[in-house]
Amino acid sequence: MAPNRTLAMAAAVALSALSLAACGSDDGGTDAGGDVTMQFWHNASTGPGKDFWAKTVADFQTANPKVKIKIQQVQNEDLDGKLQTSLNSGSAPDIFLQRGGGKMAAMVEAGQLKDITADISAETKQAVGDAALRTGQVDGKAYSVPVSILPGGFWYSKDLFQKAGITTPPATIDELNTAVTKLKANGTPIALGGKDAWPAAHWYYFFVLRACNQASLDAAAKDKNFSDPCWTKAGEDLKAFADTKPFNDGFLTTSAQQGAGSSAGLVANYKASMELMGAWDPGVIASLTKDTKPMPDLGFFPFPAVPGGQGDPAAIMGGADGYSCSAQAPKECADFLNYILTKDVQEGYYKAFNALPVNKDAQGAVTEEYLKAVLDAYNKAPYVSQWLDTVYGQNVGNALNIGVVNLLAGKGDVAGIIQAVNDAAKKG
């Protein structure tokens, strides 16, 4: 859903002038009267997530009466492109969702982000911890703060698994294949929103996580060279799995999160048994059930072990979604970032998104068994890789996404993926 830009002309002119005063002045974003206006972009376009951000902003404004924050909701699939355009044109929002990794590093290199190292409060450091805060750093300097832990894995219906005679979640790829065979008797085993590309690419990413060791992943992030045989093995493993036809009919034209017909909607309405996705999925699924409440039988299990790989079978992949301040944002932007990491706000975030908060005290409020399972897998993981399209930057990430979709569509091969990412890496 595109952000709503319906404003009366006079109001638009006034807001524009105020925004320029807030973002471009030398005194930290204040106008002549000491008031500050900031623009805030997030991707919760519907449901409890949208309501959470509206309340959080309202509460912050009440506590800071000279600060006005204008919210724009941007559909998740549109956010990266719109944000990059606004950053490049010098009209970026003051506060915005940050994916991290190579994408954030590119923004830092372009001088588009505010260094908030000195602005992160002692209370925030204590509540969140160094490990989580490091996800928002480039070369030891902070350019974003995380709001949630978002490791990926399988989200599944315990009822549909039980109906198919599956008593324990698959721990190996052979066990997953067996589960798929059993689940086919009752419908679609695995939902996949291939239309949006990145959900399809997630499958390749996880096979890479099992095929490549941490050193290989780190080396590729540094030199953007994907010639290690493990990258080819991962593609071959994915093709072998996809050839068993585990996905929903029409998965290449199915969206990931929009409506009951999306992959999340298929799981939410028991049209598919499971989906491979990040830890934001429970909230998306809950928004798409018939009563818009969390699935009562939702479960989680990590991506299974794959034989012959160099990666640790307990390694986790995911992200830590955060928020950044654009380079010219006023100092109040950092105040807002500290505020959204306080215990009460983080508990509200968890309840709205069904996602794990980064505030350690707020994690005590987590009651769902599936989120406890995520925390358990996360805490046991020997290392955590961010999403590969995030780690390797936008050019490589886009090439990965397109290459994997072509493979699954029968229009490309594994060698084509490797060639495409190597070509994309040369472009920077």
Side-chain angles (χ1 to χ4, degrees):
M1 182 183 300
N4 184 359
R5 300 182 186 276
T6 306
L7 291 167
M9 182 61 72
V13 171
L15 279 173
S16 176
L18 187 55
S19 179
L20 284 171
C23 297
S25 61
D26 294 331
D27 61 356
T30 59
D31 66 8
D35 293 329
V36 174
T37 296
M38 295 187 290
Q39 303 290 330
F40 173 34
W41 286 13
H42 65 72
N43 65 342
S45 55
T46 61
K50 180 181 178 181
D51 295 341
F52 163 79
W53 282 121
K55 180 182 186 303
T56 299
V57 164
D59 291 347
F60 182 80
Q61 290 177 158
T62 299
N64 300 272
K66 285 187 172 290
V67 178
K68 178 69 173 177
I69 299 176
K70 305 293 293 183
I71 299 175
Q72 281 196 358
Q73 301 92 20
V74 184
Q75 172 62 40
N76 183 66
E77 280 66 38
D78 298 333
L79 181 64
D80 286 6
K82 289 180 180 291
L83 180 59
Q84 196 60 56
T85 298
S86 69
L87 286 166
N88 292 343
S89 65
S91 59
D94 301 277
I95 313 161
F96 56 86
L97 180 71
Q98 176 60 255
R99 311 283 191 189
K103 292 181 179 180
M104 182 171 73
M107 294 176 191
V108 171
E109 186 174 353
Q112 295 168 334
L113 300 184
K114 190 180 190 72
D115 179 351
I116 57 171
T117 308
D119 300 314
I120 297 176
S121 69
E123 292 81 6
T124 295
K125 292 176 182 176
Q126 176 71 26
V128 176
D130 290 340
L133 287 174
R134 275 197 294 271
T135 65
Q137 295 177 1
V138 174
D139 295 332
K141 294 182 178 181
Y143 294 94
S144 77
V145 296
V147 289
S148 63
I149 299 168
L150 297 168
F154 284 94
W155 304 92
Y156 73 103
S157 163
K158 293 181 179 179
D159 289 352
L160 292 181
F161 268 47
Q162 187 174 22
K163 184 178 179 182
I166 304 166
T167 55
T168 57
T172 67
I173 198 69
D174 286 343
E175 290 177 6
L176 181 60
N177 279 318
T178 299
V180 164
T181 300
K182 291 180 178 180
L183 290 164
K184 279 183 178 180
N186 297 310
T188 298
I190 302 174
L192 175 58
K195 179 181 178 181
D196 294 319
W198 57 266
H202 279 186
W203 278 89
Y204 180 59
Y205 301 169
F206 275 97
F207 277 112
V208 168
L209 187 69
R210 295 293 176 256
C212 303
N213 59 29
Q214 188 178 15
S216 296
L217 294 174
D218 291 344
K222 185 176 181 179
D223 61 23
K224 301 295 191 298
N225 185 309
F226 302 91
S227 59
D228 189 305
C230 67
W231 292 87
T232 298
K233 172 179 163 45
E236 291 170 347
D237 289 340
L238 169 58
K239 187 176 187 310
F241 181 76
D243 283 348
T244 68
K245 301 190 182 305
F247 305 125
N248 47 295
D249 290 340
F251 69 87
L252 290 169
T253 56
T254 300
S255 67
Q257 302 176 348
Q258 301 171 50
S262 66
S263 59
L266 294 177
V267 175
N269 294 286
Y270 298 94
K271 304 293 186 184
S273 298
M274 59 180 141
E275 161 170 63
L276 179 64
M277 190 58 68
W280 58 82
D281 210 28
V284 178
I285 289 171
S287 74
L288 297 172
T289 59
K290 291 179 180 177
D291 59 3
T292 64
K293 293 181 180 179
M295 275 180 68
D297 65 319
L298 187 65
F300 172 86
F301 63 93
F303 196 85
V306 180
Q310 303 168 9
D312 193 300
I316 287 284
M317 180 173 291
D321 270 3
Y323 282 85
S324 285
C325 298
S326 58
Q328 301 304 318
K331 60 183 178 60
E332 286 79 5
C333 180
D335 295 340
F336 182 73
L337 298 189
N338 281 306
Y339 175 69
I340 64 177
L341 294 180
T342 57
K343 180 174 181 287
D344 288 349
V345 177
Q346 280 273 286
E347 286 183 355
Y349 185 95
Y350 147 66
K351 292 172 184 175
F353 290 96
N354 293 105
L356 291 167
V358 292
N359 183 301
K360 296 174 185 176
D361 292 333
Q363 288 175 3
V366 173
T367 58
E368 292 85 353
E369 289 303 316
Y370 56 80
L371 289 181
K372 290 181 179 180
V374 175
L375 264 181
D376 182 60
Y378 186 83
N379 291 331
K380 288 180 178 177
Y383 52 92
V384 179
S385 170
Q386 286 189 297
W387 304 113
L388 298 190
D389 55 344
T390 300
V391 173
Y392 300 131
Q394 192 159 351
N395 285 338
V396 171
N398 288 343
L400 273 173
N401 293 355
I402 294 169
V404 174
V405 169
N406 286 341
L407 177 71
L408 295 179
K411 297 178 180 178
D413 55 19
V414 177
I417 296 176
I418 307 302
Q419 184 66 49
V421 294
N422 278 322
D423 290 345
K426 294 172 184 175
K427 298 176 182 177

